[in-house]
Amino acid sequence: MQQSGCAWAFSSEKMKFYHDHKWGRPEHDDDELFAMLILEGAQAGLSWSTILDREENYRKAFDGLKPEIVAGYDAAKIKELLLDPGIIRNRRKVASAVTNAQAFLKLQEAFGSFDRYLWGFTDGKTIDNHPKTPEEIPAETELSKRISKDMKKRGFTFVGPTIIYAYMQSIGMVNDHLANCPCREEG
């Protein structure tokens, strides 16, 4: 298993794999962008490892996290999800997945893709911060505040500036791998 300079990646094999193969790597597939948005929203107030340990359960319970399916969930489906011990059973977070799927589909229609909308905030480029220490990594930025505000205006929930910054890291809009991290060399 690859060693890294990002200490948080050492907490479990799943975290190492996520760090080494997903985190900070540009993602442009709309379905995966939606999935990560829902998972980041579910994380609010929890550790990422808690969500990562449940990711497979989320994908199963939420029909592969396909926005066109989740957008059509009704009260009965939400009630069913709230009984599933494999996900975070918070009513607001589960309802948010449905609301966000509906807003996501509207954005796809308006912009041609969610990818085009979201990556438009960085002109399609990754922001590479080159942090040397974990303390140099912010919890939020002016850009995450701007994206959060715009998404809220468009009907999204659980998209505060801190969640959006973590989301930006997870989908590679931001590269916050530490300067001594081997993932930085891999590009």
Side-chain angles (χ1 to χ4, degrees), residues 40-101:
E40 289 291 353
Q43 181 198 352
L46 304 170
S47 70
W48 181 244
S49 63
T50 297
I51 301 305
L52 200 55
D53 287 343
R54 290 171 173 78
E55 179 180 8
E56 190 175 317
N57 295 331
Y58 266 90
R59 290 183 187 271
K60 183 178 175 189
F62 284 87
D63 296 291
L65 287 168
K66 300 290 185 190
E68 62 277 2
I69 298 172
V70 176
Y73 285 179
D74 59 12
K77 178 63 175 180
I78 290 173
K79 190 174 186 179
E80 176 189 321
L81 287 167
L82 290 171
L83 298 174
D84 188 332
I87 67 168
I88 304 302
R89 294 179 289 178
N90 175 298
R91 181 174 298 281
R92 289 180 55 226
K93 290 179 180 181
V94 171
S96 173
V98 178
T99 300
N100 287 351

